[in-house]
């Protein structure tokens, strides 16, 4: 009996310490994640007696602030309203955007006891930490103005760090009036509350040919000598692949096919690569990776594997089929190519700032993965320069600056085609990268000229 009692005692003791450890983990490690979780009902309200911190852009412009009302409560005001709506999110009917992601910091006063003592003298409440973003509202505003009323998204990044300089999406909403507009916002078929830049999933179209090219470099030793005579269309198993407007490109190598965006060439190239190898390259390029972005995002979708049919292979190779990606991912992909093959973790929150002006927790750029060798990235860069200099991407040209990029037209099963552009500049020393998608582009125009203008504005801003 004594031996059995000891066993029960040690079992209970083990369970107690495991429970203690788990509670400690919740309190010390997971507290910020729990605070920002959309299922946390406390996200719907702020703590009484604490002034929520501000949200600022990289230049110190206040995007969101709390204004005290006559009854002592605080009302959240968004100074840029719709222009930064999908970034700041809202703090009223629950929380989204940075309001959700940084909820813990925004509601956590630095040196709270000292602030409360000072508050007794000044009659003010303790103030949560401010959140300073990586976003530059000058670039954000230009992207928003150029996007206009076109459904779609623009993502601008710094390739070497993963810093998000701008993230624009439309349709949008006014975060100042979310409570009043709630019924309309949740029932609108255009889904204005959805951040298309991070949560929208689209076929990548011909921008995917960057991955197909990298797969050839990895798995097809003779890729540099591979040519194909394009007649405008070709049948692969039970799938007929067409080039745009059935245009015949003649005999092309990879560089020529990239510049002309020749679907038939890349479909034939995919046969040489094989479905298994192309799927491995897609994974190597992070298409299924969890990159832990600050804001809510949708993971890209791929269905290609070793058992896929030839039809599925060739469709995937030209960016159609069952592959779906977000603009954020495409910005990460083109940034990695610009950054010698190194994909960085994207981030939009730069650092915390305390009530006394001191800098708090700061985001340190972090490598996510290597998607290719520097040599492969350099070879692909030359092809992408050709796209903009003399191929399908000439509308993205910037006077005096070499731009590398890739256009894309994505077939849309429910309507008109979508237009893509991904690229970076200057090609020889990349400072800015971009991904633009325009839904139903026949009505709103191409993504390419928008990308060129935003790249130009971003380069000018960063040079100041």
């Amino acid at each position: 009996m004594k031996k059995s009692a000891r066993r029960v005692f040690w079992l209970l003791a083990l369970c107690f310490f495991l429970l203690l450890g788990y509670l400690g983990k919740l309190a010390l490690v997971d507290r910020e994640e729990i605070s920002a979780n959309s299922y946390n009902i406390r996200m719907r309200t702020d703590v009484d007696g604490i002034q929520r911190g501000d949200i600022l852009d990289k230049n110190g412009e206040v995007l969101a602030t709390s204004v005290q009302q006559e009854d002592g409560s605080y009302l959240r005001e968004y100074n840029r309203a719709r222009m930064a709506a999908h970034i700041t999110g809202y703090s009223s009917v629950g929380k989204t955007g940075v309001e959700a992601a940084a909820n813990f910091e925004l509601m956590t006063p630095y040196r709270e006891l000292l602030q409360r003592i000072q508050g007794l003298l000044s009659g003010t409440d303790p103030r949560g930490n401010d959140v300073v973003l990586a976003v530059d509202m000058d670039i954000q505003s230009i992207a928003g103005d150029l996007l206009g009323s076109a459904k779609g998204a623009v993502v601008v990044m710094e390739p070497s760090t993963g810093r998000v300089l701008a993230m624009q999406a439309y349709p949008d909403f006014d975060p100042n009036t979310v409570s009043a507009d709630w019924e309309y916002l949740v029932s609108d078929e255009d889904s204005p509350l959805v951040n298309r830049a991070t949560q929208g999933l689209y076929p990548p179209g011909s921008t995917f040919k960057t991955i197909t090219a990298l797969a050839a470099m990895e798995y097809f030793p003779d890729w540099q000598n591979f040519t194909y005579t394009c007649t405008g269309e070709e049948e692969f198993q039970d799938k007929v692949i067409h080039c745009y407007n059935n245009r015949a490109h003649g005999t092309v190598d990879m560089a020529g096919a990239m510049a002309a965006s020749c679907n038939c060439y890349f479909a034939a190239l995919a046969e040489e690569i094989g479905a298994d190898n192309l799927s491995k390259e897609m994974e190597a390029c992070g298409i299924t990776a969890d990159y832990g972005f600050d804001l809510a995002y949708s993971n890209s979708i791929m269905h290609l594997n070793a058992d896929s049919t030839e039809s599925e292979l060739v469709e995937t190779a030209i960016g159609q089929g069952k592959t779906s990606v977000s603009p954020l991912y495409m910005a990460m992909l083109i940034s990695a190519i610009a950054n010698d093959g190194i994909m960085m973790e994207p981030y939009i929150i730069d650092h915390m700032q305390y009530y006394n002006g001191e800098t708090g927790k700061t985001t340190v750029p972090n490598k996510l993965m290597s998607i290719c060798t520097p040599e492969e990235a350099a070879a692909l860069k030359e092809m992408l320069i050709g796209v903009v200099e003399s191929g399908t991407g000439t509308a993205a040209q910037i006077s005096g600056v070499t731009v590398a990029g890739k256009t894309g037209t994505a077939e849309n099963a429910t309507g008109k085609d979508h237009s893509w552009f991904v690229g970076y500049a200057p090609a020889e020393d990349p400072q800015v990268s971009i991904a633009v998608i325009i839904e139903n582009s026949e009505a709103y125009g191409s993504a390419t000229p928008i990308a060129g203008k935003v790249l130009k504005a971003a380069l000018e801003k960063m040079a100041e």
Side-chain angles (χ1 to χ4, degrees):
M1 287 294 293
K2 290 182 178 179
K3 190 174 182 179
S4 297
R6 282 197 301 269
R7 287 177 177 173
V8 172
F9 170 79
W10 286 115
L11 179 61
L12 292 175
L14 176 62
C15 291
F16 173 78
F17 283 110
L18 286 174
L19 179 60
L20 194 64
Y22 180 69
L23 292 175
K25 179 177 179 291
L26 287 178
L28 300 176
V29 179
D30 298 335
R31 56 181 183 168
E32 292 188 41
E33 182 179 349
I34 293 171
S35 176
N37 193 296
S38 60
Y39 291 104
N40 185 350
I41 60 172
R42 295 186 65 187
M43 285 276 280
R44 300 182 182 181
T45 58
D46 289 333
V47 179
D48 291 336
I50 294 179
Q51 181 181 355
R52 191 173 181 83
D54 292 346
I55 300 174
L56 305 91
D57 88 331
K58 70 182 294 292
N59 301 311
E61 179 182 347
V62 177
L63 306 181
T65 191
S66 293
V67 178
Q68 194 165 29
Q69 308 300 294
E70 291 184 0
D71 62 359
S73 64
Y74 290 96
L75 178 67
R76 202 66 165 161
E77 290 189 358
Y78 299 90
N79 298 324
R80 284 299 198 104
R82 311 177 79 101
M83 191 58 75
H86 287 111
I87 293 175
T88 60
Y90 55 81
S91 179
S92 51
V93 186
K95 293 176 174 63
T96 61
V98 173
E99 293 279 29
N103 184 56
F104 180 84
E105 290 286 352
L106 289 165
M107 290 303 299
T108 301
Y110 177 63
R111 295 176 179 170
E112 183 175 356
L113 179 59
L114 178 59
Q115 285 200 57
R116 290 196 179 279
I117 294 173
Q118 293 173 339
L120 292 174
L121 302 175
S122 62
T124 59
D125 290 326
R127 175 188 174 92
N129 301 323
D130 293 339
V131 176
V132 181
L133 306 180
V135 171
D136 187 316
M137 279 306 298
D138 291 338
I139 304 173
Q140 176 80 3
S141 298
I142 290 169
D145 290 341
L146 289 169
L147 191 59
S149 59
K151 295 179 184 178
V154 180
V155 180
V156 185
M157 293 181 70
E158 185 177 59
S160 61
T161 62
R163 184 163 61 110
V164 174
L165 301 172
M167 178 175 284
Q168 194 59 259
Y170 185 84
D172 55 26
F173 61 95
D174 187 344
N176 291 297
T177 60
V178 166
S179 293
D181 299 339
W182 186 249
E183 292 301 321
Y184 159 73
L185 291 172
V186 297
S187 61
D188 186 358
E189 62 181 15
D190 287 335
S191 304
L193 293 176
V194 174
N195 182 358
R196 282 166 161 78
T198 63
Q199 296 172 299
L201 291 176
Y202 307 89
S206 291
T207 61
F208 186 88
K209 290 169 184 173
T210 54
I211 294 181
T212 305
L214 290 175
M217 294 177 191
E218 180 71 20
Y219 296 106
F220 182 30
D222 198 37
W223 68 269
Q224 290 174 303
N225 297 317
F226 180 76
T227 60
Y228 181 80
T229 301
C230 170
T231 61
E233 68 175 34
E234 186 64 64
E235 185 173 353
F236 297 86
Q237 198 177 26
D238 57 352
K239 179 68 179 179
V240 177
I241 297 295
H242 298 269
C243 285
Y244 188 68
N245 287 335
N246 281 357
R247 180 179 177 182
H249 298 112
T251 302
V252 289
D253 59 5
M254 187 184 290
M258 189 72 76
S261 203
C262 178
N263 287 338
C264 293
Y265 172 92
F266 280 95
L269 181 64
E271 288 190 309
E272 302 292 337
I273 297 167
D276 187 32
N277 288 333
L278 183 56
S279 67
K280 289 178 181 176
E281 188 65 27
M282 292 170 72
E283 292 182 352
C285 286
I287 202 166
T288 59
D290 183 359
Y291 34 90
F293 189 55
D294 300 314
L295 308 186
Y297 66 94
S298 299
N299 289 108
S300 299
I301 298 171
M302 64 170 279
H303 288 283
L304 194 69
N305 55 54
D307 298 323
S308 296
T309 65
E310 183 180 286
S311 297
E312 292 170 330
L313 168 62
V314 296
E315 281 189 303
T316 301
I318 61 171
Q320 295 296 158
K322 298 178 181 179
T323 302
S324 297
V325 296
S326 69
L328 175 61
Y329 169 74
M330 293 308 296
M332 293 167 58
L333 175 67
I334 200 66
S335 293
I337 295 168
N339 194 36
D340 292 332
I342 298 174
M343 181 178 283
M344 303 296 291
E345 288 184 358
Y347 69 93
I348 203 166
I349 296 175
D350 188 80
H351 66 273
M352 305 301 163
Q353 184 171 285
Y354 301 139
Y355 76 102
N356 58 5
E358 293 180 13
T359 299
K361 183 171 65 175
T362 300
T363 301
V364 178
N366 187 48
K367 174 183 174 181
L368 182 65
M369 63 178 64
S370 293
I371 69 166
C372 64
T373 67
E375 293 75 20
E376 290 167 342
L380 188 51
K381 176 186 73 174
E382 294 303 317
M383 299 180 205
L384 298 179
I385 290 173
V387 171
V388 178
E389 286 189 344
S390 59
T392 58
T394 55
Q397 290 178 359
I398 302 173
S399 178
V401 178
T402 304
V403 179
K406 185 69 190 80
T407 58
T409 301
E411 294 179 3
N412 176 18
T414 60
K416 300 296 184 181
D417 294 346
H418 304 321
S419 175
W420 277 99
F421 183 88
V422 297
Y424 57 90
E428 60 275 8
D429 182 24
Q431 301 296 311
V432 184
S433 58
I434 193 167
V436 180
I437 185 165
I438 303 297
E439 297 180 19
N440 310 312
S441 59
E442 185 175 292
Y444 297 105
S446 169
T448 307
I450 294 175
K453 291 173 183 176
V454 175
L455 280 174
K456 182 177 183 292
L459 289 171
E460 291 173 349
K461 178 65 178 177
M462 295 182 75
E464 292 179 357

